[in-house]
């Protein structure tokens, strides 16, 4: 069974930093593109960053230069390091996997989300 569990969400002051994590169970992490999405209250869920199995990363323009996505295939974990946080970064952050290879190719899985609040 595939499960994604995010952690690390917190309250932080503007200009602060936070690192959120997503631990994946099930034998698909190394076969998947990992992504972080966020959803602010009353808004749509937006893609923030992604990283392929070949370690190619992509960032939304609003976070480029401030956020860094990484992955540890041995630990089946992906991270999102967020620096110089702004109130506009306040949202629930969701981890997502898109399976690129193998029996579950084409499937997408989601975590339950972790709240990040940036406020003075």
């Amino acid at each position: 069974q595939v499960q994604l569990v995010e952690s690390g969400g917190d309250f932080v002051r503007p200009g602060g930093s936070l690192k959120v994590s997503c631990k994946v169970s099930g034998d698909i992490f190394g076969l998947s593109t990992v992504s972080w999405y966020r959803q602010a209250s009353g808004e749509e869920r937006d893609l923030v960053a992604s990283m392929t199995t070949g370690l190619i990363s992509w960032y939304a323009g609003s976070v480029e230069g401030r956020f860094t996505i990484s992955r540890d295939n041995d630990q089946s974990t992906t991270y999102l390091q967020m620096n110089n946080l702004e109130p506009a970064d306040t949202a629930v952050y969701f981890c997502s996997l898109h399976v690129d290879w193998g029996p579950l190719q084409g499937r997408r899985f989601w975590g339950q989300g972790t709240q990040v609040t940036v406020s003075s």
Side-chain angles (χ1 to χ4, degrees):
Q1 185 178 359
V2 177
Q3 284 189 318
L4 285 67
V5 180
E6 298 99 332
S7 61
D10 206 345
F11 178 95
V12 63
R13 301 293 186 189
S17 297
L18 197 63
K19 188 174 186 177
V20 292
S21 305
C22 175
K23 174 74 172 177
V24 180
S25 61
D27 234 357
I28 62 166
F29 190 84
L31 306 175
S32 304
T33 293
V34 298
S35 302
W36 286 92
Y37 288 73
R38 68 185 181 188
Q39 187 168 19
S41 180
E43 302 290 332
E44 294 185 351
R45 190 172 298 187
D46 294 323
L47 178 62
V48 173
S50 65
M51 178 173 277
T52 67
T53 55
L55 304 182
I56 297 172
S57 59
W58 176 92
Y59 297 94
S62 59
V63 307
E64 191 153 20
R66 300 188 298 122
F67 289 13
T68 302
I69 188 172
S70 60
R71 62 188 295 162
D72 183 338
N73 287 349
D74 290 336
Q75 298 297 322
S76 294
T77 302
T78 179
Y79 305 94
L80 186 67
Q81 174 69 47
M82 301 179 286
N83 297 329
N84 195 21
L85 282 159
E86 305 167 354
D89 297 317
T90 296
V92 179
Y93 283 71
F94 295 90
C95 170
S96 179
L97 256 66
H98 180 272
V99 185
D100 299 325
W101 309 97
L104 298 178
Q105 183 179 6
R107 291 280 303 275
R108 178 171 291 280
F109 298 90
W110 293 91
Q112 83 289 349
T114 187
Q115 177 71 47
V116 174
T117 302
V118 185
S119 176
S120 56

